[in-house]
Amino acid sequence: MLQGKQLILATKPFAKEIRSLSWFHTLSTFFLLVLSFVAVLIFKPLILKLIFSILTGLIIVRMFVIVHDYFHKTILKGSLLAEVIFTFWGLYILVPKSIWSRSHDYHHVNNSKLYTSSIGSFPIVTKEKFLKSSKTERLYYLFIRHPLTIALGYFSAFMYGMCIQSLLTSPKKHWDSAVSLMLHFGIGFLIYYNFGWINFMFAFLLPALISSALGAYLFYAQHNFPDATFKEKEGWTYVSAALNSSSYMKMNPIMHWFTANIGYHHIHHLNHNIPFYRLPEVFENFPELQNPGVTSLSIKDIIACLKLKVWDSEKQKMVGLK
């Protein structure tokens, strides 16, 4: 069985994009997104608007994961057209490149380290530290990890966390956060002005709420699941963090498509240079990667993940507070 650096090196042949496939997935997803968006606008029955609104939200998630791969320089590196498409899309969905790259790159090299893993992810503290914290600190910590905060990720994770907070903290460094907010709400206003409030709700707001809620939960459950492990800086290794602190999220083929295979998150953390469309291929080829910590989008597993609040150093696992 391959371990450590040997395992990473063994995946290297898969860490090469197939350029034509990268373009196919990008352009076909964008095409389907436009079709779904137009369908929301042209169909009159509210039930059809609702169906295509939900579909639009799910395709936005897929497009976001593809953007995520591009920001990793995994696909379409050096393409000016790709830079224009993905930068624009990132700005529209409230994921400006500067803050995303800084926080997400940090997350990848500090995944599952106690006390530093909260940058680019949800905060995690030990049970001991939580109990010693002030009431205000505990309330703030629980608020960030609250199911409603995650469900309202459009406001909490993306609008505030990605854009407003970064802009307030470092406006010169993250000026594109202001551009993102203006572009996002500018497009929303144009939809409202030209097509009315019903189409604003179904073509703009509901897809944003759906995609952000699913995106925020994926962020959460990728590293907050019952079998996840966390380490102090001592004893932490990159490979162990990938395989033991990053989940494999079981989904049906349709949801794997909508989430662009981000459910194979342990493999993504092992080698982020593997394009999203090759992650299942890696999973099938390496027995070492077929027994990760598992979760899913079932109600049971979602509840199990959301109940986790702190790291219990004695039990060496995530636990709730009761």
Side-chain angles (χ1 to χ4, degrees):
M1 297 287 281
L2 297 170
Q3 295 180 338
K5 191 175 181 180
Q6 285 184 326
L7 183 56
I8 298 176
L9 290 173
T11 65
K12 196 172 180 180
F14 299 90
K16 296 176 182 177
E17 74 163 328
I18 302 168
R19 197 80 164 183
S20 59
L21 266 183
S22 296
W23 276 118
F24 169 77
H25 287 297
T26 298
L27 296 178
S28 62
T29 301
F30 191 73
F31 176 71
L32 290 172
L33 181 61
V34 171
L35 279 183
S36 184
F37 173 78
V38 171
V40 175
L41 297 179
I42 64 175
F43 285 118
K44 300 298 182 184
L46 291 183
I47 186 63
L48 290 179
K49 285 187 180 294
L50 177 61
I51 290 170
F52 282 104
S53 181
I54 294 170
L55 181 61
T56 300
L58 291 173
I59 299 175
I60 287 174
V61 173
R62 176 175 171 83
M63 195 67 183
F64 165 70
V65 179
I66 297 174
V67 171
H68 154 270
D69 259 28
Y70 177 76
F71 285 171
H72 267 304
K73 298 181 174 63
T74 301
I75 62 170
L76 302 175
K77 186 177 179 180
S79 167
L80 179 59
L81 178 59
E83 177 71 13
V84 172
I85 292 172
F86 291 130
T87 299
F88 171 82
W89 187 249
L91 291 171
Y92 172 66
I93 60 172
L94 302 176
V95 183
K97 189 175 182 179
S98 67
I99 184 61
W100 173 262
S101 296
R102 183 181 69 82
S103 61
H104 197 65
D105 289 349
Y106 183 93
H107 163 67
H108 265 261
V109 296
N110 291 279
N111 170 36
S112 84
K113 286 181 185 176
L114 286 169
Y115 310 120
T116 60
S117 62
S118 62
I119 298 176
S121 186
F122 285 83
I124 295 169
V125 300
T126 63
K127 184 177 181 180
E128 181 183 19
K129 182 177 180 180
F130 179 82
L131 294 175
K132 289 181 179 179
S133 299
S134 68
K135 184 177 180 180
T136 301
E137 289 171 332
R138 278 182 278 171
L139 286 174
Y140 180 68
Y141 175 82
L142 293 176
F143 169 76
I144 293 176
R145 296 177 60 88
H146 196 279
L148 279 178
T149 305
I150 297 170
L152 295 174
Y154 175 57
F155 303 102
S156 58
F158 293 93
M159 190 184 302
Y160 178 76
M162 283 288 171
C163 295
I164 296 174
Q165 187 177 43
S166 63
L167 189 60
L168 293 175
T169 303
S170 185
K172 288 185 178 180
K173 186 182 292 185
H174 300 302
W175 58 269
D176 56 345
S177 293
V179 176
S180 181
L181 289 166
M182 289 188 290
L183 177 67
H184 180 77
F185 290 110
I187 291 175
F189 174 77
L190 288 175
I191 293 172
Y192 168 76
Y193 184 80
N194 290 288
F195 300 101
W197 72 270
I198 291 179
N199 281 316
F200 169 81
M201 292 290 293
F202 285 105
F204 177 79
L205 187 58
L206 186 57
L209 289 169
I210 290 170
S211 59
S212 298
L214 180 55
Y217 180 73
L218 290 173
F219 286 157
Y220 177 85
Q222 284 162 355
H223 303 288
N224 290 265
F225 57 100
D227 292 331
T229 61
F230 293 85
K231 301 282 186 181
E232 305 281 354
K233 289 184 179 180
E234 298 77 20
W236 181 92
T237 68
Y238 181 86
V239 173
S240 176
L243 300 186
N244 300 317
S245 307
S246 307
S247 66
Y248 166 56
M249 188 171 286
K250 282 188 176 180
M251 304 179 194
N252 60 50
I254 294 173
M255 285 308 298
H256 270 308
W257 187 88
F258 279 124
T259 58
N261 295 322
I262 201 63
Y264 296 90
H265 206 62
H266 62 303
I267 302 174
H268 171 65
H269 265 270
L270 182 70
N271 189 343
H272 68 259
N273 291 312
I274 300 170
F276 69 94
Y277 49 81
R278 302 200 71 178
L279 293 173
E281 187 182 355
V282 176
F283 185 82
E284 293 298 328
N285 277 275
F286 290 90
E288 298 89 343
L289 301 176
Q290 293 171 7
N291 293 290
V294 176
T295 184
S296 75
L297 291 176
S298 70
I299 298 298
K300 179 183 177 182
D301 281 353
I302 290 173
I303 292 173
C305 289
L306 292 174
K307 282 183 176 179
L308 303 174
K309 299 300 178 184
V310 294
W311 174 253
D312 191 316
S313 300
E314 293 182 0
K315 295 180 179 179
Q316 286 291 291
K317 66 177 183 178
M318 289 289 289
V319 297
L321 294 176
K322 293 182 180 179

